[in-house]
Amino acid sequence: MERLFLKKGLPMKRYVVRRLLMAIPLLLAISFVCFCFINLIPSNPAEVALRVQQTPVITEEIIAAMEEQLGLNKPFFVRYFDWVLGCLHGDFGISYVNPKRTVAGELLRCLPATLQLAGTSFVIVAVLSIPIGFLCAVYKDGWFDRIMRGLVFVTTAMPAYWVGLLLMWGIGVKLNWLPTNGNGTWRHLILPSFTVALSYISTYIRLIRNNMLENMKQDYVLYANVRGLPQKSILVRHILKNSMHTCIVAMGMSIPQLISGTIVVENVFSWPGLGTLCISSIFNRDYPVIQTYVLLIGVLFVLFNLLFDILQTVSDPRLRKED
Protein backbone atom coordinates (compact mmCIF):
# COMPACT_ATOMS: atom_id res chain seq x y z
CA MET A 1 0.00 0.00 0.00
CA GLU A 2 2.83 2.38 0.80
CA ARG A 3 4.42 1.78 -2.58
CA LEU A 4 1.10 2.35 -4.32
CA PHE A 5 0.57 5.63 -2.45
CA LEU A 6 4.02 6.86 -3.34
CA LYS A 7 3.51 5.88 -6.95
CA LYS A 8 0.25 7.84 -7.15
CA GLY A 9 1.79 10.85 -5.42
CA LEU A 10 4.76 11.12 -7.74
CA PRO A 11 2.97 12.89 -10.66
CA MET A 12 1.61 15.52 -8.29
CA LYS A 13 5.02 16.05 -6.69
CA ARG A 14 6.60 16.39 -10.12
CA TYR A 15 3.93 18.92 -11.10
CA VAL A 16 4.57 21.03 -7.97
CA VAL A 17 8.34 20.94 -8.52
CA ARG A 18 7.89 21.86 -12.18
CA ARG A 19 5.67 24.84 -11.30
CA LEU A 20 8.15 26.02 -8.67
CA LEU A 21 10.99 25.84 -11.17
CA MET A 22 8.91 27.78 -13.71
CA ALA A 23 8.26 30.52 -11.15
CA ILE A 24 11.96 31.17 -10.45
CA PRO A 25 12.80 32.73 -13.89
CA LEU A 26 9.66 34.85 -13.65
CA LEU A 27 10.65 36.16 -10.21
CA LEU A 28 14.14 36.94 -11.50
CA ALA A 29 12.66 38.79 -14.48
CA ILE A 30 10.45 40.87 -12.17
CA SER A 31 13.42 41.72 -9.96
CA PHE A 32 15.50 42.70 -13.00
CA VAL A 33 12.79 45.01 -14.32
CA CYS A 34 12.39 46.62 -10.88
CA PHE A 35 16.14 47.16 -10.63
CA CYS A 36 16.31 48.64 -14.13
CA PHE A 37 13.53 51.04 -13.14
CA ILE A 38 15.76 53.02 -10.80
CA ASN A 39 18.60 53.04 -13.33
CA LEU A 40 16.47 54.40 -16.19
CA ILE A 41 15.37 57.55 -14.40
CA PRO A 42 16.64 60.70 -16.14
CA SER A 43 18.36 62.10 -13.06
CA ASN A 44 21.25 60.75 -11.03
CA PRO A 45 19.92 58.77 -8.01
CA ALA A 46 22.77 60.08 -5.86
CA GLU A 47 21.87 63.68 -6.75
CA VAL A 48 18.19 62.94 -6.10
CA ALA A 49 19.07 61.53 -2.68
CA LEU A 50 21.05 64.65 -1.83
CA ARG A 51 18.23 66.95 -2.91
CA VAL A 52 15.65 64.94 -0.95
CA GLN A 53 17.89 65.23 2.11
CA GLN A 54 18.01 69.00 1.46
CA THR A 55 21.77 69.22 1.10
CA PRO A 56 22.51 72.97 0.84
CA VAL A 57 25.40 72.78 -1.65
CA ILE A 58 25.73 69.89 -4.10
CA THR A 59 29.13 69.49 -5.70
CA GLU A 60 30.71 66.79 -7.84
CA GLU A 61 32.68 65.56 -4.84
CA ILE A 62 29.55 65.23 -2.70
CA ILE A 63 27.74 63.41 -5.52
CA ALA A 64 30.68 61.03 -5.92
CA ALA A 65 30.71 60.36 -2.16
CA MET A 66 26.96 59.66 -2.21
CA GLU A 67 27.37 57.32 -5.20
CA GLU A 68 30.00 55.40 -3.27
CA GLN A 69 27.77 55.29 -0.19
CA LEU A 70 24.83 53.94 -2.23
CA GLY A 71 27.05 51.59 -4.24
CA LEU A 72 26.24 53.31 -7.53
CA ASN A 73 29.89 53.38 -8.60
CA LYS A 74 29.91 49.59 -9.13
CA PRO A 75 29.15 47.90 -12.48
CA PHE A 76 25.49 47.39 -13.34
CA PHE A 77 25.26 43.61 -12.94
CA VAL A 78 27.36 43.67 -9.77
CA ARG A 79 24.88 46.12 -8.26
CA TYR A 80 21.97 43.99 -9.48
CA PHE A 81 23.25 40.76 -7.91
CA ASP A 82 24.14 42.59 -4.69
CA TRP A 83 20.61 43.99 -4.58
CA VAL A 84 19.02 40.58 -5.24
CA LEU A 85 21.12 38.98 -2.49
CA GLY A 86 20.12 41.81 -0.17
CA CYS A 87 16.44 41.30 -1.00
CA LEU A 88 16.73 37.59 -0.22
CA HIS A 89 18.03 38.61 3.23
CA GLY A 90 15.32 41.27 3.69
CA ASP A 91 17.64 44.21 2.97
CA PHE A 92 16.03 46.51 0.37
CA GLY A 93 18.22 49.52 0.99
CA ILE A 94 17.61 52.79 2.80
CA SER A 95 15.03 55.50 2.25
CA TYR A 96 16.16 58.69 0.49
CA VAL A 97 13.74 60.78 2.53
CA ASN A 98 15.05 59.54 5.87
CA PRO A 99 18.42 57.74 5.63
CA LYS A 100 17.99 56.54 9.21
CA ARG A 101 15.05 54.36 8.10
CA THR A 102 15.35 51.25 5.99
CA VAL A 103 12.96 50.48 3.13
CA ALA A 104 11.95 47.23 4.82
CA GLY A 105 11.13 49.13 8.00
CA GLU A 106 8.96 51.61 6.08
CA LEU A 107 7.07 48.80 4.34
CA LEU A 108 6.53 46.88 7.57
CA ARG A 109 5.27 50.05 9.23
CA CYS A 110 2.55 50.54 6.59
CA LEU A 111 1.82 46.90 5.73
CA PRO A 112 -0.62 46.14 8.62
CA ALA A 113 -2.96 48.97 7.58
CA THR A 114 -3.04 47.73 3.98
CA LEU A 115 -3.62 44.13 5.05
CA GLN A 116 -6.44 45.27 7.32
CA LEU A 117 -8.09 47.17 4.49
CA ALA A 118 -7.60 44.38 1.93
CA GLY A 119 -8.75 41.69 4.37
CA THR A 120 -11.94 43.54 5.27
CA SER A 121 -12.63 44.17 1.58
CA PHE A 122 -12.17 40.46 0.85
CA VAL A 123 -14.69 39.53 3.56
CA ILE A 124 -17.20 42.03 2.15
CA VAL A 125 -16.74 40.58 -1.34
CA ALA A 126 -17.34 37.01 -0.14
CA VAL A 127 -20.30 37.87 2.11
CA LEU A 128 -22.18 39.90 -0.52
CA SER A 129 -21.27 38.32 -3.87
CA ILE A 130 -22.03 34.67 -3.01
CA PRO A 131 -25.68 35.08 -1.84
CA ILE A 132 -26.49 37.74 -4.45
CA GLY A 133 -25.01 35.66 -7.27
CA PHE A 134 -26.89 32.61 -5.97
CA LEU A 135 -30.24 34.46 -5.91
CA CYS A 136 -29.64 35.94 -9.38
CA ALA A 137 -29.14 32.45 -10.78
CA VAL A 138 -32.13 30.95 -8.95
CA TYR A 139 -34.48 33.77 -10.01
CA LYS A 140 -33.04 34.21 -13.49
CA ASP A 141 -34.66 37.08 -15.46
CA GLY A 142 -36.78 37.99 -12.43
CA TRP A 143 -37.03 41.47 -10.98
CA PHE A 144 -34.19 40.81 -8.49
CA ASP A 145 -31.91 39.47 -11.23
CA ARG A 146 -32.66 42.42 -13.51
CA ILE A 147 -32.02 45.00 -10.78
CA MET A 148 -28.75 43.36 -9.72
CA ARG A 149 -27.52 43.03 -13.30
CA GLY A 150 -28.20 46.73 -13.79
CA LEU A 151 -26.28 47.60 -10.61
CA VAL A 152 -23.43 45.30 -11.64
CA PHE A 153 -23.21 47.03 -15.02
CA VAL A 154 -23.14 50.48 -13.42
CA THR A 155 -20.68 49.70 -10.60
CA THR A 156 -18.27 47.90 -12.92
CA ALA A 157 -17.92 51.07 -14.99
CA MET A 158 -17.37 53.34 -11.97
CA PRO A 159 -13.71 54.04 -11.03
CA ALA A 160 -12.78 53.43 -7.41
CA TYR A 161 -11.64 56.98 -6.68
CA TRP A 162 -14.98 58.38 -7.92
CA VAL A 163 -16.95 55.90 -5.80
CA GLY A 164 -14.82 56.84 -2.80
CA LEU A 165 -15.44 60.54 -3.31
CA LEU A 166 -19.21 59.96 -3.66
CA LEU A 167 -19.33 57.89 -0.46
CA MET A 168 -17.18 60.44 1.33
CA TRP A 169 -19.44 63.31 0.24
CA GLY A 170 -22.78 61.55 0.79
CA ILE A 171 -22.25 59.39 3.88
CA GLY A 172 -19.35 61.20 5.51
CA VAL A 173 -20.06 64.87 4.83
CA LYS A 174 -23.80 65.22 4.19
CA LEU A 175 -25.12 62.55 6.57
CA ASN A 176 -22.13 62.59 8.94
CA TRP A 177 -22.53 58.88 9.66
CA LEU A 178 -18.94 57.76 9.19
CA PRO A 179 -15.47 59.39 9.30
CA THR A 180 -13.86 60.16 5.95
CA ASN A 181 -10.14 59.85 6.73
CA GLY A 182 -7.65 58.18 9.03
CA ASN A 183 -7.75 54.74 10.66
CA GLY A 184 -8.53 55.37 14.31
CA THR A 185 -11.48 52.98 14.82
CA TRP A 186 -13.41 50.29 12.95
CA ARG A 187 -15.77 53.02 11.68
CA HIS A 188 -12.89 54.50 9.67
CA LEU A 189 -12.58 51.15 7.86
CA ILE A 190 -16.13 50.91 6.46
CA LEU A 191 -16.02 53.45 3.62
CA PRO A 192 -12.57 52.61 2.17
CA SER A 193 -13.09 48.82 2.41
CA PHE A 194 -16.49 49.01 0.70
CA THR A 195 -14.99 51.24 -2.00
CA VAL A 196 -12.24 48.68 -2.70
CA ALA A 197 -14.71 45.76 -2.62
CA LEU A 198 -17.39 47.26 -4.86
CA SER A 199 -15.85 46.43 -8.25
CA TYR A 200 -14.91 42.91 -7.09
CA ILE A 201 -18.45 42.31 -5.80
CA SER A 202 -19.80 43.07 -9.28
CA THR A 203 -17.29 40.73 -10.90
CA TYR A 204 -18.01 37.77 -8.63
CA ILE A 205 -21.78 38.21 -8.72
CA ARG A 206 -21.58 37.83 -12.47
CA LEU A 207 -19.14 34.93 -12.21
CA ILE A 208 -21.21 32.97 -9.66
CA ARG A 209 -24.44 33.58 -11.57
CA ASN A 210 -22.99 32.42 -14.90
CA ASN A 211 -21.34 29.35 -13.34
CA MET A 212 -24.58 28.30 -11.64
CA LEU A 213 -26.61 28.75 -14.82
CA GLU A 214 -24.05 26.63 -16.68
CA ASN A 215 -24.14 23.91 -14.02
CA MET A 216 -27.94 23.84 -14.07
CA LYS A 217 -27.71 22.43 -17.62
CA GLN A 218 -25.48 19.51 -16.58
CA ASP A 219 -26.64 15.88 -16.49
CA TYR A 220 -26.03 15.47 -12.76
CA VAL A 221 -28.74 18.07 -12.04
CA LEU A 222 -31.23 16.12 -14.16
CA TYR A 223 -30.23 12.93 -12.36
CA ALA A 224 -30.70 14.61 -8.96
CA ASN A 225 -34.20 15.76 -9.97
CA VAL A 226 -35.07 12.27 -11.17
CA ARG A 227 -33.98 10.87 -7.80
CA GLY A 228 -36.47 13.22 -6.15
CA LEU A 229 -33.96 15.22 -4.12
CA PRO A 230 -35.30 18.46 -2.59
CA GLN A 231 -34.80 21.49 -4.83
CA LYS A 232 -33.02 23.38 -2.03
CA SER A 233 -30.54 20.52 -1.64
CA ILE A 234 -29.88 20.41 -5.38
CA LEU A 235 -29.25 24.15 -5.54
CA VAL A 236 -27.00 24.40 -2.48
CA ARG A 237 -25.25 21.04 -2.14
CA HIS A 238 -24.75 20.34 -5.84
CA ILE A 239 -25.07 23.36 -8.14
CA LEU A 240 -23.63 26.03 -5.81
CA LYS A 241 -20.90 23.71 -4.54
CA ASN A 242 -19.69 22.86 -8.05
CA SER A 243 -20.01 26.49 -9.16
CA MET A 244 -17.88 27.75 -6.27
CA HIS A 245 -14.78 25.79 -7.31
CA THR A 246 -13.74 28.29 -9.98
CA CYS A 247 -14.93 31.24 -7.88
CA ILE A 248 -12.83 30.28 -4.86
CA VAL A 249 -9.72 30.02 -7.02
CA ALA A 250 -10.51 33.39 -8.63
CA MET A 251 -11.13 35.00 -5.23
CA GLY A 252 -7.85 33.64 -3.90
CA MET A 253 -5.93 34.97 -6.87
CA SER A 254 -7.60 38.38 -6.42
CA ILE A 255 -5.93 38.83 -3.01
CA PRO A 256 -2.80 40.48 -4.51
CA GLN A 257 -5.11 42.58 -6.68
CA LEU A 258 -6.87 43.77 -3.54
CA ILE A 259 -3.54 44.65 -1.93
CA SER A 260 -2.30 46.55 -4.99
CA GLY A 261 -5.73 48.04 -5.71
CA THR A 262 -5.83 49.91 -2.42
CA ILE A 263 -3.28 52.45 -3.63
CA VAL A 264 -5.90 54.91 -4.96
CA VAL A 265 -8.45 54.35 -2.19
CA GLU A 266 -5.83 54.78 0.54
CA ASN A 267 -4.94 58.20 -0.81
CA VAL A 268 -8.59 59.24 -1.17
CA PHE A 269 -9.35 58.32 2.46
CA SER A 270 -5.88 59.18 3.87
CA TRP A 271 -5.40 55.57 4.94
CA PRO A 272 -1.80 55.12 6.16
CA GLY A 273 -0.97 51.98 4.17
CA LEU A 274 1.41 50.91 1.41
CA GLY A 275 -0.53 52.84 -1.23
CA THR A 276 -0.15 56.12 0.62
CA LEU A 277 3.54 55.35 1.19
CA CYS A 278 4.02 54.64 -2.52
CA ILE A 279 2.37 57.88 -3.67
CA SER A 280 4.30 59.97 -1.15
CA SER A 281 7.51 58.23 -2.29
CA ILE A 282 6.72 59.15 -5.90
CA PHE A 283 6.29 62.82 -4.98
CA ASN A 284 9.45 62.73 -2.84
CA ARG A 285 11.40 60.73 -5.45
CA ASP A 286 12.17 58.07 -2.88
CA TYR A 287 13.12 55.55 -5.55
CA PRO A 288 14.20 52.61 -3.34
CA VAL A 289 10.75 52.53 -1.72
CA ILE A 290 8.98 52.66 -5.10
CA GLN A 291 11.26 49.96 -6.47
CA THR A 292 10.62 47.66 -3.53
CA TYR A 293 6.86 48.26 -3.63
CA VAL A 294 6.70 47.26 -7.30
CA LEU A 295 8.82 44.19 -6.55
CA LEU A 296 6.58 43.21 -3.63
CA ILE A 297 3.38 43.43 -5.69
CA GLY A 298 4.94 41.47 -8.56
CA VAL A 299 6.14 38.71 -6.21
CA LEU A 300 2.69 38.51 -4.58
CA PHE A 301 1.03 38.01 -7.96
CA VAL A 302 3.43 35.22 -8.89
CA LEU A 303 3.22 33.45 -5.52
CA PHE A 304 -0.59 33.57 -5.25
CA ASN A 305 -0.94 32.46 -8.86
CA LEU A 306 1.40 29.55 -8.14
CA LEU A 307 -0.31 28.65 -4.85
CA PHE A 308 -3.86 28.56 -6.18
CA ASP A 309 -2.81 26.86 -9.38
CA ILE A 310 -1.38 24.03 -7.27
CA LEU A 311 -4.43 23.97 -4.98
CA GLN A 312 -6.76 23.81 -7.97
CA THR A 313 -4.76 20.95 -9.45
CA VAL A 314 -4.81 19.08 -6.13
CA SER A 315 -8.56 19.49 -5.74
CA ASP A 316 -9.40 18.62 -9.37
CA PRO A 317 -7.59 15.48 -10.64
CA ARG A 318 -8.68 16.24 -14.20
CA LEU A 319 -6.23 19.13 -14.32
CA ARG A 320 -3.23 17.00 -13.44
CA LYS A 321 -0.76 16.29 -16.19
CA GLU A 322 1.12 13.11 -15.65
CA ASP A 323 4.59 12.79 -17.07
Side-chain angles (χ1 to χ4, degrees):
M1 289 296 293
E2 184 178 357
R3 291 182 179 180
L4 181 62
F5 174 77
L6 291 174
K7 185 177 180 180
K8 288 184 178 180
L10 283 177
M12 191 62 221
K13 291 179 180 178
R14 285 197 293 265
Y15 176 80
V16 172
V17 172
R18 185 167 61 248
R19 292 292 287 120
L20 288 172
L21 293 177
M22 291 172 59
I24 293 175
L26 184 57
L27 291 173
L28 288 175
I30 292 173
S31 67
F32 185 75
V33 171
C34 293
F35 184 79
C36 289
F37 170 79
I38 200 171
N39 289 274
L40 293 177
I41 57 177
S43 54
N44 188 342
E47 186 176 352
V48 170
L50 291 170
R51 294 187 184 278
V52 169
Q53 297 172 21
Q54 298 181 351
T55 303
V57 179
I58 300 177
T59 62
E60 294 295 333
E61 291 77 11
I62 296 178
I63 293 177
M66 178 59 71
E67 288 180 347
E68 184 177 0
Q69 179 182 345
L70 298 177
L72 299 175
N73 56 344
K74 298 179 181 178
F76 176 83
F77 286 103
V78 173
R79 287 186 282 121
Y80 169 68
F81 286 114
D82 289 343
W83 180 71
V84 170
L85 291 176
C87 290
L88 293 175
H89 290 86
D91 181 12
F92 301 98
I94 59 174
S95 170
Y96 285 175
V97 175
N98 191 345
K100 296 181 180 179
R101 296 181 179 179
T102 63
V103 174
E106 290 292 283
L107 294 177
L108 290 176
R109 177 178 61 85
C110 300
L111 183 60
T114 296
L115 292 179
Q116 184 184 20
L117 178 58
T120 306
S121 303
F122 183 80
V123 172
I124 294 175
V125 171
V127 169
L128 293 182
S129 61
I130 294 175
I132 294 176
F134 175 81
L135 293 175
C136 287
V138 173
Y139 301 105
K140 178 188 175 185
D141 295 330
W143 63 268
F144 181 80
D145 183 34
R146 293 177 184 273
I147 292 175
M148 293 312 302
R149 278 192 293 169
L151 291 176
V152 164
F153 177 79
V154 172
T155 54
T156 303
M158 295 166 60
Y161 69 88
W162 191 64
V163 175
L165 291 175
L166 284 179
L167 293 176
M168 183 184 297
W169 174 78
I171 299 178
V173 177
K174 289 296 182 179
L175 299 177
N176 197 25
W177 287 352
L178 295 170
T180 58
N181 56 71
N183 67 335
T185 63
W186 63 270
R187 298 176 72 250
H188 293 80
L189 188 60
I190 297 177
L191 289 182
S193 59
F194 184 77
T195 303
V196 174
L198 187 60
S199 61
Y200 294 94
I201 292 173
S202 304
T203 300
Y204 289 113
I205 287 175
R206 187 167 58 246
L207 180 61
I208 293 170
R209 177 186 181 275
N210 294 340
N211 284 351
M212 287 192 64
L213 292 177
E214 187 67 27
N215 276 279
M216 287 178 181
K217 303 175 184 178
Q218 301 300 318
D219 293 336
Y220 73 86
V221 177
L222 177 62
Y223 178 67
N225 284 308
V226 171
R227 290 173 57 196
L229 295 178
Q231 194 65 25
K232 182 179 179 180
S233 176
I234 296 174
L235 288 172
V236 176
R237 298 183 60 185
H238 296 276
I239 298 176
L240 180 61
K241 180 180 179 181
N242 289 317
S243 301
M244 286 302 299
H245 176 75
T246 305
C247 298
I248 291 174
V249 174
M251 285 183 178
M253 293 178 62
S254 67
I255 293 176
Q257 295 179 3
L258 283 170
I259 296 175
S260 61
T262 60
I263 183 170
V264 175
V265 177
E266 286 183 0
N267 285 273
V268 170
F269 290 94
S270 300
W271 189 264
L274 291 177
T276 302
L277 175 65
C278 181
I279 295 298
S280 64
S281 299
I282 292 174
F283 284 117
N284 294 326
R285 296 185 179 183
D286 200 351
Y287 295 119
V289 175
I290 305 171
Q291 177 181 349
T292 307
Y293 176 81
V294 175
L295 175 66
L296 174 63
I297 298 301
V299 171
L300 285 178
F301 271 97
V302 173
L303 292 182
F304 273 89
N305 183 48
L306 173 64
L307 174 63
F308 281 91
D309 181 60
I310 294 174
L311 291 178
Q312 186 179 21
T313 307
V314 171
S315 61
D316 190 352
R318 296 173 297 178
L319 299 176
R320 301 178 188 176
K321 297 179 181 180
E322 297 191 9
D323 296 334

